Amino acid sequence: MHSPAAPTAQRTYKSINFAQKLGLFSEHWTPKVIAEMNNYQFKISKLQGEFVWHCHADTDETFIVLDGQLHIDFRDGQVSIGSGEMFVVPKGIEHKPWSEQEVKLLLIEPKGVLNTGDLGGERTAQNDVWI
Ligand code: NI
């Protein structure tokens, strides 16, 4: 038996549409939060060109490509992730995402994770921006 959730006037039952959310911004390399699950966030982003080498010491990072072809370089290899595919970058592994054409993707990672990981610098996007 599980008990029903407490009623709340604010509760809404609305699906989240990736295409609609992706239509709300055009800049690259600026992840936007669209949902949370426990302490994880779902973020959509648009990428094009090269990012910087970085790693996340404390967490894995999931990339789900919604549209386009994403490449991620590692110090010892590379993965290409197409539309409808996903890849989990293990924590502590240096990686550099890049793409020739624009890529639209969904990132899944814990709250508080910065796009540049432990590196910081000018490519660091503002964190926890909801759209
Ligand atoms: Ni990363």
Side-chain angles (χ1 to χ4, degrees), residues 92-122:
I93 301 293
E94 272 192 297
H95 55 283
K96 186 178 81 164
W98 61 276
S99 71
E100 289 169 6
Q101 306 294 325
E102 185 178 72
V103 172
K104 296 166 183 157
L105 62 82
L106 177 66
L107 293 162
I108 306 173
E109 55 199 8
K111 277 185 209 179
V113 172
L114 295 174
N115 63 331
T116 52
D118 305 333
L119 180 71
E122 63 181 12

Side-chain angles (χ1 to χ4, degrees), residues 1-5:
M1 290 284 285
H2 64 107
S3 45

Side-chain angles (χ1 to χ4, degrees), residues 54 56 61 95:
H54 69 280
H56 310 275
E61 181 174 37
H95 55 283

Side-chain angles (χ1 to χ4, degrees), residues 25-122:
F25 67 100
S26 57
E27 68 267 28
H28 295 142
W29 308 105
T30 57
K32 316 284 190 201
V33 182
I34 59 168
E36 282 181 355
M37 188 187 79
N38 299 321
N39 62 331
Y40 274 73
Q41 289 184 326
F42 296 78
K43 304 173 184 176
I44 53 170
S45 190
K46 297 180 180 181
L47 315 180
Q48 188 169 10
E50 294 207 2
F51 202 53
V52 288
W53 283 104
H54 69 280
C55 69
H56 310 275
D58 300 322
T59 183
D60 301 341
E61 181 174 37
T62 297
F63 293 79
I64 298 174
V65 174
L66 303 173
D67 187 47
Q69 188 78 31
L70 174 67
H71 309 282
I72 304 178
D73 287 349
F74 301 96
R75 293 301 186 184
D76 60 354
Q78 184 193 89
V79 64
S80 291
I81 312 160
S83 182
E85 298 181 335
M86 64 177 281
F87 186 83
V88 181
V89 175
K91 70 178 175 182
I93 301 293
E94 272 192 297
H95 55 283
K96 186 178 81 164
W98 61 276
S99 71
E100 289 169 6
Q101 306 294 325
E102 185 178 72
V103 172
K104 296 166 183 157
L105 62 82
L106 177 66
L107 293 162
I108 306 173
E109 55 199 8
K111 277 185 209 179
V113 172
L114 295 174
N115 63 331
T116 52
D118 305 333
L119 180 71
E122 63 181 12

